[in-house]
Amino acid sequence: MSLSVALHAQAASDRPLLKDSFRIGSEGGALCQAQSAAGDPAARTMFDRAWTLVCRDAARPVGQIYALRRGSGDQDAALLDRLAASRKAAVECGAPGGVSLPGIGAALMRNCTGEVGAYRILSVARGKTVYVAQGYAAYASALDLGLRSVMAGRTVPGKIDIATVGTAEAGFARLQAATLDPQTVLAEGYRRNASGNYAEAAEFFDSLTDRLARDPDAAKLTPTERANRAHEYLVNRGLQLSNLGLFDQADAAFAQARGIATADAVQLRLRRNFEAMHHINRQDLNGALAILDRPLASEAGAATGDDGAVSLPPEVAAEMSSAASQARALGVRQDTTLAPAERAAIIDAQAQQLRGTILRLSGQPGPARDVLTRALASAVAIRDGRVTSITRLRAQLLGEIALTYEAQGNFGQAEINLNQVLALLGAQYPETVALNGARARLGAFLIRRGRNEDALKIYRGIMASTMENRATLTGMANQLQPYFNLLAQEIPNRPELTADLFAASQMLLRPGAADTLEQLSRELSAGNGEAARLFRQSVSLSRDIERGRIALAQLRQTAEGQQALLPEVAQAQADIDQLAADQATTLAALAAYPQYRAISPQGLTLAEMRATLKPGEGYYKLAQLGDALYALWIDGAGATGYRLAASASDVAGKVAALRETISIEVNGAQTTYALDVPVARELYVDLFGPVEQRLAAVRHLIFEPDGAMLQLPVNLLIAGQTGVDAYEARVAQGGDEFDFRGIDWLGRDHAVSTALSARAFRDARAAAPSSAAQSYIGFGDNAPLAGPVLAASSRGTLSNVAVDDCGWSPLQWNRPIPATELREAAQAIGGQGSELITGAAFTDEAVMARGDLDRFRILHFATHGLVTPPHPGCPARPALLTSFAPDRTSDGLLQFSEIFDLRLNADLVVLSACDTAGAAGVETTRAAGLSGGGGALDGLVRAFIGAGSRAVIASHWPAPEDYHATERLMSGLFAAGADQPVAEALREAQVKLMDDPETSHPFYWSGFAIIGDGARPLIARR
């Protein structure tokens, strides 16, 4: 994308072509601008020149450019001191490295970090002048182009790749947190919520909280202002978490907000409305109504107008209940200031909308419509309906009114209202989650009216829009259930609809996965490599496409009946098409990088998936929507899909029953009971009954789990009834209930691979084998904590656990896993160059500091995996436990975001840890009424895949030490012959344990799962 920079010189220049203001780049508007910086401490003499670089999405400077006269005694350290005085923010820089600038030649670059984030200093010496650019690494291309222009003394054409704040990836907001005006970020957070991008909105509000805690300018706020801002950020983040289904984390955010003392009427109303929404999301209508009925606390000190109405702050009023249009996304507010009474009407209309929704859901459509109609009239009355920031509120009100008409049999009026919603959102939020949600509501209405073909067209439009925007259906799962039900019902007679079900199922994203992908996207955005540059470029293009679509939608409205405007419409469409072509080229280049593939939401067509499979393979995919589970089966003969007869709750109950007999903690000790064999058989029938014959015909099962099945390896399900009957008869006669020989486990005759997604499996299959020269490196046997001094050096992670503390207990570090299996695995693998890192040497810092991890084909971690949040309300941040580095800032955890930044070239990573693929957040999600798990799959495993591993082996429960089961399993795995598929090698090792009465319980053999392509060889022939 070609953009422009304007530079303003501070002092007279010895280069006559350099004007006070000139443009760089031949296309586009001025995204960034360099302004003269008179008085800059780095510019000490009349011969020095300085510019401050600002960009339109940043209210503060993002960097500086200098032309400095060097004195005879000036050294490198002196130059850095001058730059630090200008910067006014401490950074730590690495050693300078050589780079080459087009048209300039050799230059020195330093990569730095600090509280401001990733920073960069670039310098070029020319005679007695040194030219320098310093600033945020995210704006590196603007700094480089500005420096080249200053040195050339003329306009230098070039491209600037900067991801703006309104991107499809909210992680970039954190990179800009040090430069963006808080009101701008707040407005953008509201806008992302309005467009339905809840995970991104949550990141914006979270970044504001971080900014408030560390920004020196926050000290200028009064205590009341500071408290109100903190409160607003928290309640907004709580709402976004609730929209994502992360209810326990939302509870914690709202509880924290209630602890902030505020008498501001606006803040009290916000919290009232958002907590009521939270309760509606949890289907707690009585709780929501109680919140709306509760009198607000004292409003002493609230801002009021002459008429006594409440006054919302500008950053709230302009964006309240849906945020501004995209054209206003970067801090531009309403054209005229809203009066206090108007501002109060907006937020109170929202409260009435919630009350009407509760009445409708409670079976009272008439009273509900009365409330909703009054609320809509109040909203539309403000400036004759010309307040663009309440578009989403108006749409929600019209949608709710439509459902009240439908409930009373007035279907014609209901359809009119639903189409009005589409028109409203189509103009302000084209091709967003919000618009697709409205389309889904219309589609469900059409299904209820028996107009299935019309509904299919609507839903296919949703899928096409989502795929075109490379987005997901996060937050829309419940709205899509009618579509999935319709497909499942029609597939027996119309098998071609299986392709629709497969396409739609790939766009669903679990809440935990959505949160993880935001975190990993931020990591990728912050990088300095080519993948990071391309990713930021793709995000910028997404932003430009979104902006262009909004402008086009508004232009088309204006052009109705005006032939003279049709050429402008055509040109606007052509511009969008060109941007889309540029985006496709960028994404094609990105596809070569594992980090991007690990976070990309792109799916496969059914034809592409079938072409990926080999003879003798079957792909089974689960998708959970609400309390329903849908299955897809794909093999060489074709494909089919169906809805499970068992509900998601039923399956979750059976999974819990099985896990409790496999590994459960009783009085602090891991305990195993006799497996509930009938339940394992029932669960097999629930999942595979409709495709049992097709499953029996394949040898390699690729399983993509969802819902509760994320917590259980599928290989322990029982494929035949005969063994069950024989087992029960033997036990009834006094036989050993722990002897499970003779059971027809699914994993006895089927090698099993687990897939993160269809595309992830295809990518794993297509990846070339590792070219690493060394065979194996193992990590484990962490050093236990020796005492309170070491614990105190852990930056709070090991502090005594308080109610609001999300750190882990120090006891976690005092149970190291012995390195025995590492030594035996290294011996079994043999080959060139094996290495073990154990004890005090196994720290997170040591792992991250190694520059040679890409030289090993197999990495093996025998340590604890911490994937369950420490307490309800804490986010799941999966990590591997390591030793501490007492003299450094180690936290004893190798976090998933740190893993993602490693550079691997591995065929396999083995996570022989506790629960690394298991029930992340089971207790907290159960408390929230959910049954999902898979935190390690969403975090640790995805991070290792992104770092460059073709496959990962992870465990569903604590690896057993009894009977040397884990050692035997690993030894059998690594004894695989050359070119033997890894899944087949694992299956053979498991069968040996199945056939030993001491280890026939699934606890001993079933826990490890291969994520990736199990048909790849464990040790490729060279």
Side-chain angles (χ1 to χ4, degrees):
M1 180 175 58
S2 298
L3 301 170
S4 303
V5 177
L7 294 173
H8 301 277
Q10 173 202 358
S13 171
D14 53 0
R15 296 180 183 270
L17 292 178
L18 187 63
K19 305 295 184 181
D20 283 347
S21 176
F22 65 92
R23 298 173 69 84
I24 296 177
S26 58
E27 301 175 11
L31 177 72
C32 299
Q33 185 177 35
Q35 303 168 339
S36 62
D40 190 309
R44 296 182 298 194
T45 75
M46 63 177 293
F47 301 104
D48 294 331
R49 290 169 293 153
W51 296 263
T52 296
L53 185 66
V54 296
C55 294
R56 70 183 182 199
D57 63 344
R60 296 181 179 185
V62 300
Q64 298 86 30
I65 301 172
Y66 302 101
L68 304 175
R69 181 73 59 169
R70 291 195 299 175
S72 59
D74 269 2
Q75 301 295 323
D76 190 60
L79 172 63
L80 294 178
D81 288 342
R82 293 175 70 181
L83 296 177
S86 173
R87 189 172 54 245
K88 298 178 182 178
V91 297
E92 294 184 5
C93 300
V99 296
S100 180
L101 291 178
I104 300 299
L108 289 178
M109 184 178 72
R110 290 175 172 84
N111 290 318
C112 313
T113 58
E115 290 186 356
V116 296
Y119 212 76
R120 187 178 185 215
I121 299 174
L122 193 69
S123 60
V124 181
R126 286 289 187 272
K128 294 184 178 180
T129 303
V130 59
Y131 296 91
V132 184
Q134 69 169 352
Y136 297 100
Y139 294 85
S141 57
L143 290 164
D144 292 355
L145 193 55
L147 181 63
R148 291 167 55 199
S149 297
V150 168
M151 292 187 67
R154 58 179 174 81
T155 298
V156 175
K159 292 183 178 181
I160 301 176
D161 300 319
I162 296 176
T164 58
V165 67
T167 69
E169 300 294 342
F172 194 73
R174 289 179 178 268
L175 293 179
Q176 297 175 310
T179 63
L180 288 170
D181 181 276
Q183 292 187 3
T184 300
V185 183
L186 184 66
E188 189 59 24
Y190 279 120
R191 193 190 66 77
R192 301 314 289 178
N193 168 61
S195 63
N197 296 307
Y198 303 127
E200 299 160 25
E203 287 294 318
F204 278 99
F205 293 119
D206 203 25
S207 72
L208 283 167
T209 300
D210 292 346
R211 167 81 174 273
L212 189 65
R214 70 169 185 265
D215 192 344
D217 285 352
K220 300 176 183 178
L221 301 173
T222 67
T224 298
E225 291 171 333
R226 187 180 180 88
N228 287 341
R229 289 195 183 188
H231 180 275
E232 183 168 1
Y233 303 158
L234 273 170
V235 296
N236 272 284
R237 176 162 173 76
L239 178 60
Q240 307 318 313
L241 293 169
S242 178
N243 288 338
L244 287 169
L246 301 172
F247 297 141
D248 58 324
Q249 293 182 43
D251 284 337
F254 284 123
Q256 191 175 352
R258 288 193 296 271
I260 298 175
T262 178
D264 185 274
V266 170
Q267 295 303 319
L268 295 172
R269 281 171 164 79
L270 281 178
R271 191 172 74 217
R272 173 198 64 191
N273 285 13
F274 291 177
E275 284 202 85
M277 293 180 196
H278 173 48
H279 281 266
I280 292 174
N281 286 341
R282 299 187 68 165
Q283 301 181 356
D284 177 15
L285 302 185
N286 290 333
L289 191 60
I291 289 172
L292 293 172
D293 288 340
R294 187 185 306 151
L296 292 175
S298 170
E299 298 181 1
T304 58
D306 295 336
D307 57 359
V310 178
S311 172
L312 277 77
E315 67 268 29
V316 180
E319 315 303 335
M320 190 62 225
S321 302
S322 305
S325 69
Q326 194 78 334
R328 306 173 184 269
L330 296 176
V332 180
R333 310 297 185 187
Q334 294 297 137
D335 293 334
T336 56
T337 303
L338 293 173
E342 294 170 327
R343 296 167 181 165
I346 292 173
I347 195 167
D348 286 337
Q350 184 185 56
Q352 290 301 96
Q353 179 245 320
L354 298 175
R355 189 179 296 276
T357 297
I358 293 169
L359 288 170
R360 179 187 65 78
L361 293 172
S362 301
Q364 304 177 63
R369 187 164 62 252
D370 291 341
V371 173
L372 294 166
T373 302
R374 288 195 299 270
L376 180 60
S378 298
V380 174
I382 302 172
R383 303 292 167 90
D384 297 323
R386 291 181 286 107
V387 181
T388 59
S389 61
I390 62 169
T391 298
R392 182 83 185 278
L393 175 60
R394 291 175 60 189
Q396 290 169 335
L397 285 162
L398 281 169
E400 287 294 323
I401 290 171
L403 294 180
T404 66
Y405 278 120
E406 182 188 6
Q408 294 184 321
N410 191 344
F411 305 121
Q413 186 59 50
E415 189 168 354
I416 289 172
N417 284 10
L418 291 173
N419 280 299
Q420 288 175 335
V421 172
L422 295 184
L424 269 175
L425 294 176
Q428 293 296 330
Y429 305 105
E431 306 313 323
T432 60
V433 177
L435 177 58
N436 283 331
R439 288 169 173 162
R441 179 171 274 187
L442 175 59
F445 169 82
L446 294 174
I447 290 175
R448 291 192 295 271
R449 303 308 312 138
R451 294 162 57 184
N452 291 348
E453 291 304 315
D454 291 338
L456 283 174
K457 291 179 182 178
I458 292 288
Y459 285 112
R460 283 171 174 161
I462 295 172
M463 301 307 139
S465 170
T466 304
M467 290 181 67
E468 182 180 355
N469 289 292
R470 295 168 179 83
T472 65
L473 298 170
T474 304
M476 286 185 59
N478 290 335
Q479 291 176 287
L480 292 173
Q481 192 165 339
Y483 178 49
F484 276 63
N485 285 340
L486 176 61
L487 292 175
Q489 292 166 8
E490 294 290 332
I491 281 174
N493 299 319
R494 300 172 62 184
E496 70 275 8
L497 292 180
T498 306
D500 295 77
L501 183 61
F502 182 62
S505 67
Q506 292 178 83
M507 299 180 210
L508 299 173
L509 200 61
R510 296 184 298 277
D515 182 59
T516 294
L517 291 178
E518 286 298 330
Q519 297 285 325
L520 297 182
S521 295
R522 185 173 76 234
E523 289 297 313
L524 181 54
S525 294
N528 294 320
E530 180 65 6
R533 186 195 70 78
L534 287 169
F535 184 67
R536 290 193 293 267
Q537 177 173 297
S538 75
V539 168
S540 293
L541 287 166
S542 297
R543 164 70 167 155
D544 288 345
I545 291 169
E546 191 175 2
R547 184 191 299 115
R549 283 175 175 158
I550 289 170
L552 178 60
Q554 295 171 344
L555 182 59
R556 280 176 171 160
Q557 284 185 326
T558 305
E560 290 181 3
Q562 299 187 45
Q563 294 291 323
L565 292 178
L566 293 181
E568 291 187 40
V569 173
Q571 184 58 53
Q573 182 63 62
D575 292 343
I576 294 172
D577 293 342
Q578 183 57 54
L579 289 169
D582 293 343
Q583 176 74 302
T585 301
T586 302
L587 292 174
L590 265 174
Y593 296 93
Q595 278 190 314
Y596 175 71
R597 294 199 301 267
I599 64 174
S600 172
Q602 291 178 271
L604 298 180
T605 66
L606 181 57
E608 289 172 329
M609 187 67 239
R610 289 191 62 199
T612 299
L613 297 177
K614 299 177 180 179
E617 291 185 332
Y619 192 95
Y620 183 92
K621 175 180 174 60
L622 277 176
Q624 179 174 338
L625 287 86
D627 199 32
L629 280 168
Y630 302 84
L632 283 133
W633 174 268
I634 307 168
D635 59 19
T640 190
Y642 51 93
R643 178 174 174 172
L644 269 62
S647 68
S649 299
D650 291 338
V651 170
K654 292 174 183 178
V655 168
L658 289 173
R659 282 192 63 100
E660 287 172 0
T661 64
I662 295 169
S663 178
I664 187 172
E665 189 170 298
V666 178
N667 296 325
Q670 289 298 132
T671 304
T672 300
Y673 297 97
L675 185 78
D676 196 328
V677 169
V679 171
R681 173 62 181 158
E682 289 173 16
L683 193 51
Y684 172 88
V685 174
D686 290 338
L687 268 61
F688 296 104
V691 292
E692 187 170 17
Q693 291 184 346
R694 298 177 76 160
L695 172 60
V698 303
R699 287 283 295 173
H700 181 202
L701 170 66
I702 301 106
F703 179 58
E704 184 184 337
D706 198 6
M709 285 306 298
L710 289 157
Q711 305 166 17
L712 193 75
V714 72
N715 60 1
L716 62 72
L717 301 185
I718 300 176
Q721 185 63 35
T722 303
V724 175
D725 294 339
Y727 168 81
E728 292 185 322
R730 188 170 65 248
V731 171
Q733 294 173 7
D736 184 1
E737 63 178 351
F738 280 87
D739 183 355
F740 295 96
R741 288 175 297 171
I743 295 289
D744 186 15
W745 307 110
L746 175 61
R748 171 174 285 278
D749 296 322
H750 293 82
V752 179
S753 298
T754 301
L756 288 172
S757 68
R759 178 167 287 273
F761 178 79
R762 201 274 299 272
D763 289 342
R765 173 151 288 181
S770 170
S771 59
Q774 293 175 259
S775 58
Y776 175 91
I777 184 170
F779 301 90
D781 193 17
N782 69 278
L785 295 181
V789 175
L790 182 57
S793 70
S794 63
R795 301 186 305 177
T797 300
L798 297 177
S799 60
N800 290 330
V801 176
V803 174
D804 61 347
D805 179 49
C806 286
W808 292 94
S809 165
L811 296 177
Q812 296 286 351
W813 278 261
N814 287 332
R815 298 179 298 154
I817 295 177
T820 309
E821 70 177 75
L822 297 177
R823 290 191 290 271
E824 294 190 356
Q827 183 177 1
I829 292 172
Q832 178 83 22
S834 293
E835 188 174 347
L836 297 184
I837 310 297
T838 60
F842 172 40
T843 69
D844 51 319
E845 289 183 347
V847 176
M848 291 186 289
R850 290 188 69 114
D852 64 345
L853 291 180
D854 60 349
R855 296 175 58 191
F856 295 92
R857 296 195 302 275
I858 298 174
L859 286 79
H860 187 169
F861 291 84
T863 185
H864 295 282
L866 307 178
V867 297
T868 303
H871 310 288
C874 295
R877 292 290 182 266
L880 292 176
L881 186 146
T882 71
S883 301
F884 281 86
D887 57 337
R888 303 209 178 172
T889 58
S890 164
D891 60 2
L893 297 172
L894 186 62
Q895 313 243 11
F896 77 101
S897 58
E898 296 168 340
I899 294 167
F900 188 69
D901 287 333
L902 300 176
R903 292 294 177 265
L904 308 181
N905 182 17
D907 284 323
L908 182 66
V909 169
V910 181
L911 302 181
S912 180
C914 293
D915 212 25
T916 51
V922 171
E923 293 181 1
T924 54
T925 50
R926 282 181 182 169
L930 300 177
S931 58
L937 287 176
D938 296 333
L940 293 178
V941 172
R942 195 183 297 271
F944 275 112
I945 297 293
S949 180
R950 279 74 170 169
V952 176
I953 291 182
S955 57
H956 278 271
W957 47 71
E961 299 294 335
D962 294 342
Y963 309 114
H964 303 286
T966 300
E967 295 173 26
R968 291 162 58 190
L969 191 68
M970 289 295 165
S971 296
L973 170 67
F974 291 126
D979 293 333
Q980 184 179 19
V982 61
E984 185 61 27
L986 180 61
R987 186 194 69 82
E988 289 184 358
Q990 290 171 332
V991 168
K992 292 178 181 178
L993 296 178
M994 291 179 200
D995 291 341
D996 183 336
E998 291 183 328
T999 56
S1000 60
H1001 193 295
F1003 171 64
Y1004 296 105
W1005 57 262
S1006 172
F1008 286 94
I1010 300 167
I1011 297 93
D1013 180 11
R1016 294 175 65 95
L1018 176 64
I1019 303 174
R1021 189 184 302 276
R1022 293 179 179 268

